């Protein structure tokens, strides 16, 4: 299971995605019910410096969000507590957006995170990757496309129930479907 950016700012903070709170509560329940089914649970996190280019005050399009060492950058307590129930699963974390001059919607655009993820998938012989998180039409879809570009498309299943969008997700879903991504 790979959860994209389940952080406070994306749920109830400065860049809150509509429906994110309910989706993350539902995801937490899903993890608690199915913890034994997961070999590993990965979480990606925006980890922006205060002067990141994506912020409006620095010329970007987004409000300041997920700033390093702030409450807004922390993982949702629902998700954090649920992941602890998956005692037999390995836990992995991946950061992105930590270079102030680079936008990284996809954690695969972060060289260190992508390298660690790809090595893990290969070493652990991962055959299925369920992916969800925030927001479907930005960081989730871009992460999926980054994984697809590395030849992992046939392993991916998008869990839409736990992936609310900022805008209308229909074009995003159509694009992912055209690449052969399984959508659940």
């Amino acid at each position: 299971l790979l959860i994209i950016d389940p952080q406070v700012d994306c749920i109830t903070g400065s860049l809150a995605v509509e429906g994110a709170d309910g989706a993350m509560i539902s995801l937490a329940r899903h993890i608690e019910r199915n913890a034994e089914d997961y070999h590993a649970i990965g979480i990606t996190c925006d980890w922006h410096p205060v002067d990141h280019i994506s912020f409006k005050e620095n010329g970007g399009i987004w409000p300041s969000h997920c700033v390093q060492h702030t409450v807004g950058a922390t993982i949702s307590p629902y998700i954090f507590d649920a992941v602890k129930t998956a005692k037999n699963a390995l836990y992995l974390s991946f950061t992105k957006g930590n270079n102030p001059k680079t936008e990284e919607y996809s954690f695969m655009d972060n060289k260190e995170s992508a390298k660690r993820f790809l090595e893990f998938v290969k070493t652990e012989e991962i055959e299925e990757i369920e992916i969800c998180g925030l927001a479907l039409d930005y960081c989730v879809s871009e992460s999926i496309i980054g994984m697809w570009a590395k030849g992992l498309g046939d392993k991916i299943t998008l869990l839409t129930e736990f992936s609310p969008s900022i805008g209308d997700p229909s074009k995003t879903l159509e694009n992912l479907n055209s690449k052969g991504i399984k959508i659940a």
Side-chain angles (χ1 to χ4, degrees):
L1 177 64
L2 180 61
I3 310 166
I4 306 298
D5 303 349
Q7 295 165 272
V8 170
D9 272 346
C10 300
I11 300 167
T12 57
S14 62
L15 191 57
V17 177
E18 187 175 335
D21 198 40
M24 292 303 101
I25 291 169
S26 295
L27 176 58
R29 290 182 187 136
H30 170 80
I31 293 168
E32 290 164 355
R33 284 191 309 270
N34 300 288
E36 68 280 351
D37 295 339
Y38 292 113
H39 173 67
I41 298 175
I43 295 178
T44 73
C45 291
D46 270 352
W47 191 243
H48 297 313
V50 71
D51 60 344
H52 197 264
I53 63 164
S54 69
F55 300 160
K56 285 180 182 175
E57 60 268 23
N58 300 323
I61 63 169
W62 304 110
S64 179
H65 65 281
C66 302
V67 174
Q68 296 172 356
H69 310 290
T70 66
V71 171
T74 60
I75 296 169
S76 157
Y78 311 124
I79 301 302
F80 184 82
D81 290 344
V83 168
K84 291 190 302 189
T85 69
K87 292 179 177 40
N88 295 324
L90 300 170
Y91 170 74
L92 302 108
S93 65
F94 305 97
T95 57
K96 62 189 180 71
N98 46 334
N99 180 330
K101 306 234 180 284
T102 305
E103 179 64 87
E104 294 174 336
Y105 290 111
S106 169
F107 80 102
M108 296 297 288
D109 291 337
N110 183 288
K111 288 184 174 125
E112 178 61 30
S113 289
K115 178 182 174 189
R116 287 180 44 243
F117 178 75
L118 293 170
E119 285 174 359
F120 180 80
V121 168
K122 182 179 178 182
T123 302
E124 297 294 320
E125 300 176 355
I126 302 298
E127 294 298 320
E128 183 178 354
I129 303 165
E130 292 181 346
I131 185 169
C132 59
L134 306 169
L136 173 59
D137 49 347
Y138 285 93
C139 298
V140 175
S141 64
E142 290 298 320
S143 292
I144 291 171
I145 290 167
M147 293 162 56
W148 173 82
K150 295 295 185 181
L152 301 176
D154 62 332
K155 297 178 186 288
I156 300 169
T157 300
L158 168 62
L159 303 177
T160 57
E161 178 183 355
F162 314 122
S163 303
S165 289
I166 291 173
D168 180 356
S170 57
K171 288 187 184 197
T172 299
L173 293 170
E174 185 178 305
N175 180 39
L176 295 175
N177 191 47
S178 75
K179 294 180 176 354
I181 303 301
K182 292 182 243 55
I183 298 174

